[in-house]
Amino acid sequence: MKHWTPEAEERLAAYLDDVLALAQAHSDDAEDFLEDLRTHIRRDAEATAGGLVTPQNLDRALAAAGTPYDVVGIEAGAPTIAQRNGKTSPEGDPIHLNVPITIVCGILLPLAAVVAEIVLMVNDASGGLGVMPTFMHLFLLLGVPICFGFLQNVSYTPAAQQPLWKRRAVAFGVGYLFAITSLYCCALFPLFPVSLIAILFFGIGFVGLSPIFALIATFAAVTRLTRGGYYGNDLESTRRRWSVGGFAFVSVLLVGSLFHSVFLVGNLRQAVEAPAAKRNDALHTLRIWGFPDLAQTESDDRLLARFWDAKGNMYIPRVSALQEAYFQVYGEVAVDSDLRSWWYLNNVFGNRQQRLWQQGGDKVGTKIANLSLRQSTMNIDMVSEGMAAQGLSYTEWIMEFDNANSDANEARCLIALPPGGVASRLTLWIDGEEREAAFGGRSQVKAAYREVAVVQRRDPALLTTAGRDSVFLQCFPVPARGRMKLKIGVTAPLRTIGDQAFLPLPYIVSENFDLEDGFAHGLNITSPSSLSLVGGELNAPNGASGVFNYLGDISEGDLNRHGAGAILSMDNVSTPGPHEGRLGSYVATLLQAPAAAPVKNRNVCLVIDGSAGVGRANIDWSAFIKAFPEDVSLRACLASDGGHLWDGAGGRDGLIDWLNTQTFEFGQPLVKGLMKLWSETMDISDREFIVIHGPQPLDDSHLERFTQALKQSRWNGGGQSVSLVAATPGPIRMLEALDGYKEIQKVPVIDSVQATLERLARTGHGTDDNRTYTLEKNAATAETSGKHGTSSHVVRMAALNEVMNLLAVHSPLESKEATRLAQRCRLVTPVSGAVVLETKAQYERHGLDDDENLDAVPAVPEPEEWLLIIIALCAVTFILYKTQRKKVAA
């Protein structure tokens, strides 16, 4: 037996396919005839070949056999069996499909369903039925009108004139249509009754029923093609293979996507619930295959993710559990768009339900499309009441939200304050009138807000703390097609390093509204000396009588530098004091001293986050360790997979080598490692913890143990302090749970991470600030304090310090006193908050008084009209000067 080349085999198969197609269409015993023909042609081709049969040998054998029509013994265009039985028209005529059914049911309705879903999702964040959770589903659904368009096109050409590839494509398209229409009919079957009602009463249910109509159109097309003898011109087995191929293509993608999700979700469940060994295996799998798209999750914290397996018990209960798993896989803190696809976040059952669940909650939640921050202005004062000399500042941040949706929405955002700052004012514009907030206990103002915002859907705003140096802002409702305007006041200390003073600006950490990088925040700064913006530029100031006024803009990208915040820099003009402040019945004293000398014989415990965030910082461990004075005792722990303690071998050089050999990858539990080193050093009473971390999610499993350890340390008279330094910017959610613990200090990174760490190593302090506050209550001072008090911001900072001291006692009486003090001084603290309601009756129902202590309201003085004119002229002159210089340079 001789060998055949692949080309010769392929050409013979194509010839025999054409012969079989003609034979099946015109006779009933085609298979036996084809086998005899195959044997005859192969024998003739091998007779003229040497050791290998080539296409040239085959061509001579085929020429001797004749064309397929000659072999079958019929004339081109002769009627087929079906045509001879009177079922179809002659093969030379085109087989027209039913145009109305194909166009309306097969093309227009499916296309309308896809377009409607996309348009509603993009324009109103409330679209569709969630039938397109991924782009793959969009691709498959768009294939329906494309396939019907192709079938309609080929039906205008006689079948005998169409090449074999086109007939195969028709068979593939039919299988594709049967698969996707039948599968979507099954998936959306529960919604069909609703669509029928919508047809009867609203006339819009046809789009919801498009899978049924498309399936009917598929049956109609197949019936017309079969009766027209279209498939008689091709191998029956080929038709079946290509139809099955089209069906399998859709099924594999859809079902394979489902099984892939089930596989990933199963590993996610193991990563959340399983013992340590299985958990590590599951995390390894997720790092290879990726995190599942939780397209069927619910956004309520109580029922965030629900997945059902064969036994119906696959359940993942908490937002924090998913965020921790995502963090351990990627080393980044997850947001909603990381846990769910864009398609899911914008469908009607996902987005609308999320908005309802999240209103009045404690989380920023999912972004709401077409809800945006329209205007933003920061008025920063460091001149009034001699604040710069006291090392203080006051900022009023005015924000206006715009809602382009057809329903009211709640704007929520997490705002980072300047380190050591406190929110001391909240106002809301209602009917064009600026209303001051009432201050009260944290639970009290939250209850008032939730009743008015969520139940009555009226006009409140709420401001509460969300961890150290951060506040959580909520306002509802931003009216449909309307706007809402509010103002937040922040009292904050200036941070000093040497002869320079710095003011980190407040910025938005996370938000549920649109805030693009190109968005510009207005700046209006009053300072006793010239300013510069670290990492940016300010317009030339107007200086009058020793006061420098700046007007300008700062982009969102510059204000929020990858989660670090912008910083103003100026000459340090603060004086030691004492500085006395009066506010209502309170008198406070501020003493500023030079930077404290380093403590001798410090016991420093280093806790280094083993996550990828710290690895990205490229810290010079050698320079950091060598910056510690010789009398400092060092211990270290790498918070990775539970905590790896340094054994102390090799002294400081050994510690440097140990740190340089560590691997920083994925996400690691920080608090677990902190607790391990805490437990190992319990015999040391004056420990100083330095925690170097990257972004971290909330660590529920160990935070409670840590808070109990802090309380026990207080009861035992311990002097432990915990300084947190962010190696890379990002949220560290553990601070939310540790709000109210003054031992936890968030060290500001002013210049660089490396410089901050080395300064902390040398002195034990991140900056040179050394302030001491005293606070006394004296009713006699109320009459002499003036409208806004005298140096009232000194009292606010002293009151904040006293509130934190009272909370450290962990006594119900002291906590109650801390709440009263914060309420009298109108401060937002861990035990107090601010709320603006609409009516007097609403305040009275919740035991709040919006007129209480209005003499404690801070204010930014309005500039005189002549000063505004001078500033504007200077700005115009500066712009014209810059423009002229550019023209000259060109």
Side-chain angles (χ1 to χ4, degrees):
M1 182 177 179
K2 298 182 180 180
H3 294 285
W4 286 57
T5 64
E7 293 81 2
E9 292 280 10
E10 183 178 354
R11 188 171 300 182
L12 175 59
Y15 177 84
L16 293 175
D17 283 348
D18 291 339
V19 172
L20 180 60
L22 291 173
Q24 287 178 328
H26 296 274
S27 64
D28 295 322
D29 55 351
E31 295 291 343
D32 295 338
F33 169 76
L34 187 69
E35 189 60 35
D36 293 339
L37 179 63
R38 184 194 312 273
T39 302
H40 175 74
I41 293 175
R42 292 183 72 91
R43 185 176 59 248
D44 289 350
E46 292 176 359
T48 61
L52 184 67
V53 179
T54 65
Q56 290 76 17
N57 302 125
L58 178 62
D59 287 342
R60 287 192 287 269
L62 294 179
T67 66
Y69 285 98
D70 295 333
V71 172
V72 178
I74 62 173
E75 295 181 359
T80 64
I81 295 175
Q83 293 163 354
R84 290 200 300 270
N85 292 336
K87 296 181 179 179
T88 62
S89 58
E91 190 176 325
D93 297 335
I95 304 171
H96 294 290
L97 300 183
N98 190 308
V99 176
I101 293 180
T102 303
I103 298 299
V104 176
C105 299
I107 298 177
L108 294 182
L109 284 179
L111 195 60
V114 173
V115 171
E117 181 118 351
I118 293 176
V119 169
L120 288 174
M121 284 193 296
V122 172
N123 290 339
D124 199 25
S126 59
L129 301 172
V131 298
M132 298 185 302
T134 67
F135 283 99
M136 182 197 71
H137 291 78
L138 172 63
F139 165 75
L140 291 176
L141 291 177
L142 287 177
V144 173
I146 293 174
C147 282
F148 274 110
F150 176 72
L151 292 180
Q152 185 65 39
N153 178 265
V154 300
S155 71
Y156 292 112
T157 304
Q161 299 178 17
Q162 296 183 18
L164 184 60
W165 72 265
K166 187 170 286 189
R167 300 177 205 152
R168 290 173 175 172
V170 168
F172 182 88
V174 167
Y176 182 99
L177 291 173
F178 267 124
I180 195 165
T181 54
S182 58
L183 288 174
Y184 265 91
C185 280
C186 295
L188 301 181
F189 180 76
L191 301 178
F192 290 156
V194 179
S195 297
L196 288 173
I197 296 174
I199 289 178
L200 296 177
F201 292 95
F202 307 104
I204 60 174
F206 288 102
V207 174
L209 292 173
S210 59
I212 285 184
F213 288 120
L215 184 59
I216 293 172
T218 303
F219 275 111
V222 172
T223 301
R224 183 64 64 92
L225 290 171
T226 302
R227 290 180 177 178
Y230 187 87
Y231 292 122
N233 291 334
D234 198 0
L235 291 172
E236 181 65 21
S237 59
T238 300
R239 180 186 70 81
R240 287 196 298 267
R241 285 198 305 270
W242 284 88
S243 295
V244 171
F247 194 97
F249 175 75
V250 175
S251 301
V252 167
L253 287 180
L254 289 178
V255 178
S257 175
L258 175 62
F259 276 102
H260 179 258
S261 297
V262 170
F263 168 73
L264 293 181
V265 169
N267 280 277
L268 176 59
R269 185 186 181 191
Q270 294 290 321
V272 171
E273 299 177 350
K278 290 186 177 180
R279 185 185 306 124
N280 291 333
D281 292 340
L283 289 172
H284 179 71
T285 301
L286 291 175
R287 287 162 184 163
I288 296 175
W289 293 97
F291 207 79
D293 173 19
L294 308 186
Q296 304 300 322
T297 63
E298 302 172 16
S299 188
D300 185 11
D301 281 4
R302 295 164 297 174
L303 297 172
L304 175 70
R306 180 179 293 170
F307 297 92
W308 300 98
D309 59 11
K311 297 181 181 178
N313 59 6
M314 197 170 191
Y315 179 60
I316 299 175
R318 295 177 293 114
V319 172
S320 57
L322 296 177
Q323 289 176 330
E324 288 175 18
Y326 186 92
F327 173 72
Q328 289 177 304
V329 172
Y330 294 114
E332 298 176 356
V333 177
V335 295
D336 275 351
S337 57
D338 294 322
L339 299 177
R340 305 173 186 85
S341 69
W342 179 88
W343 297 96
Y344 174 76
L345 290 174
N346 291 278
N347 73 65
V348 65
F349 296 118
N351 194 282
R352 284 190 182 278
Q353 200 72 359
Q354 288 174 53
R355 289 193 237 176
L356 293 176
W357 275 332
Q358 292 171 357
Q359 282 179 8
D362 297 324
K363 305 295 182 182
V364 172
T366 306
K367 280 188 184 296
I368 300 176
N370 301 318
L371 177 66
S372 60
L373 181 62
R374 180 175 178 269
Q375 290 183 351
S376 169
T377 303
M378 290 186 190
N379 298 313
I380 303 172
D381 181 21
M382 290 177 279
V383 174
S384 301
E385 304 180 10
M387 281 190 290
Q390 302 159 8
L392 300 177
S393 69
Y394 177 66
T395 300
E396 286 189 343
W397 192 351
I398 303 173
M399 291 183 269
E400 184 175 5
F401 298 101
D402 180 81
N403 181 20
N405 294 304
S406 57
D407 56 343
N409 286 292
E410 181 185 40
R412 298 183 298 272
C413 62
L414 181 65
I415 300 175
L417 302 181
V422 61
S424 51
R425 191 180 188 186
L426 173 66
T427 69
L428 178 67
W429 275 261
I430 300 177
D431 297 329
E433 177 186 355
E434 187 177 4
R435 307 275 186 92
E436 292 288 343
F439 285 73
R442 185 183 181 94
S443 59
Q444 184 182 17
V445 296
K446 278 189 173 185
Y449 176 83
R450 285 170 179 164
E451 178 184 329
V452 178
V454 179
V455 179
Q456 301 179 15
R457 302 179 68 82
R458 301 296 287 272
D459 277 329
L462 176 68
L463 192 66
T464 54
T465 58
R468 184 61 51 85
D469 301 331
S470 63
V471 292
F472 184 48
L473 172 67
Q474 302 169 260
C475 53
F476 181 89
V478 183
R481 317 293 182 189
R483 297 170 182 169
M484 178 177 274
K485 183 179 179 181
L486 55 84
K487 176 167 61 182
I488 300 172
V490 178
T491 302
L494 302 178
R495 314 312 297 245
T496 59
I497 299 177
D499 58 356
Q500 289 293 111
F502 302 90
L503 176 63
L505 298 180
Y507 63 93
I508 297 175
V509 177
S510 58
E511 68 287 337
N512 75 332
F513 46 83
D514 292 330
L515 187 60
E516 300 178 355
D517 285 343
F519 180 84
H521 302 264
L523 289 179
N524 179 15
I525 307 172
T526 305
S527 167
S529 64
S530 61
L531 290 173
S532 63
L533 180 62
V534 178
E537 294 183 1
L538 290 173
N539 295 335
N542 168 258
S545 303
V547 175
F548 292 79
N549 296 278
Y550 292 84
L551 284 177
D553 296 325
I554 182 171
S555 69
E556 171 61 20
D558 289 335
L559 180 63
N560 186 349
R561 297 179 302 148
H562 309 291
I567 300 174
L568 294 176
S569 174
M570 58 181 288
D571 292 335
N572 184 12
V573 298
S574 62
T575 58
H579 301 281
E580 184 177 283
R582 298 183 180 185
L583 181 62
S585 59
Y586 290 98
V587 176
T589 303
L590 164 62
L591 290 175
Q592 298 188 99
V599 178
K600 297 294 185 181
N601 302 315
R602 292 158 57 199
N603 292 295
V604 176
C605 299
L606 297 177
V607 180
I608 299 98
D609 181 5
S611 304
V614 175
R616 291 193 295 267
N618 295 319
I619 297 172
D620 185 347
W621 298 111
S622 176
F624 170 51
I625 298 301
K626 291 179 179 179
F628 284 98
E630 292 296 329
D631 60 345
V632 174
S633 174
L634 289 175
R635 294 165 181 82
C637 175
L638 182 72
S640 176
D641 295 330
H644 299 300
L645 295 174
W646 173 54
D647 59 9
R652 296 195 175 187
D653 290 337
L655 176 57
I656 294 172
D657 294 338
W658 182 78
L659 288 172
N660 285 329
T661 57
Q662 299 302 318
T663 301
F664 299 90
E665 57 184 358
F666 311 123
Q668 309 295 341
L670 175 62
V671 181
K672 188 175 181 180
L674 174 59
M675 278 303 303
K676 187 164 188 176
L677 188 56
W678 186 286
S679 301
E680 291 291 330
T681 57
M682 287 290 291
D683 56 330
I684 303 174
S685 60
D686 55 348
R687 294 169 293 176
E688 174 188 336
F689 284 83
I690 298 178
V691 181
I692 306 170
H693 65 88
Q696 280 272 339
L698 187 64
D699 192 349
D700 286 337
S701 57
H702 296 90
L703 268 173
E704 182 60 31
R705 289 179 56 202
F706 184 56
T707 57
Q708 292 302 321
L710 283 174
K711 293 177 183 178
Q712 185 180 21
S713 175
R714 289 173 174 177
W715 297 330
N716 294 335
Q720 287 84 359
S721 66
V722 182
S723 300
L724 276 68
V725 182
T728 52
I732 174 165
R733 303 280 171 80
M734 62 178 284
L735 286 178
E736 298 178 20
L738 296 173
D739 195 10
Y741 289 84
K742 66 179 301 180
E743 295 92 341
I744 310 298
Q745 298 295 329
K746 185 178 175 183
V747 179
V749 178
I750 301 296
D751 33 21
S752 68
V753 174
Q754 188 70 38
T756 301
L757 287 175
E758 292 180 20
R759 186 164 50 248
L760 190 60
R762 288 192 301 270
T763 66
H765 307 285
T767 60
D768 296 336
D769 309 321
N770 189 10
R771 297 183 175 93
T772 303
Y773 295 99
T774 59
L775 181 68
E776 297 179 355
K777 187 175 181 181
N778 186 348
T781 63
E783 299 179 357
T784 61
S785 61
K787 183 178 180 181
H788 294 297
T790 303
S791 298
S792 58
H793 293 286
V794 173
V795 180
R796 293 185 180 89
M797 296 306 300
L800 175 64
N801 182 70
E802 182 65 18
V803 166
M804 300 302 291
N805 289 336
L806 290 170
L807 293 179
V809 180
H810 290 289
S811 165
L813 292 177
E814 301 295 345
S815 297
K816 192 172 182 178
E817 176 59 29
T819 303
R820 284 197 294 264
L821 175 59
Q823 184 174 354
R824 293 191 193 105
C825 295
R826 302 179 69 87
L827 301 179
V828 177
T829 69
V831 292
S832 63
V835 63
V836 181
L837 303 179
E838 189 175 17
T839 66
K840 192 75 173 178
Q842 292 170 348
Y843 286 109
E844 292 175 354
R845 184 163 58 252
H846 293 280
L848 296 168
D849 186 357
D850 58 326
D851 292 329
E852 185 180 14
N853 304 327
L854 289 182
D855 60 332
V857 175
V860 173
E862 297 291 337
E864 297 289 343
E865 184 177 351
W866 62 268
L867 183 57
L868 290 175
I869 294 174
I870 293 176
I871 293 173
L873 289 175
C874 290
V876 171
T877 303
F878 177 74
I879 293 173
L880 292 176
Y881 171 72
K882 295 284 285 185
T883 304
Q884 188 65 29
R885 288 199 61 181
K886 289 182 179 179
K887 290 182 178 179
V888 172

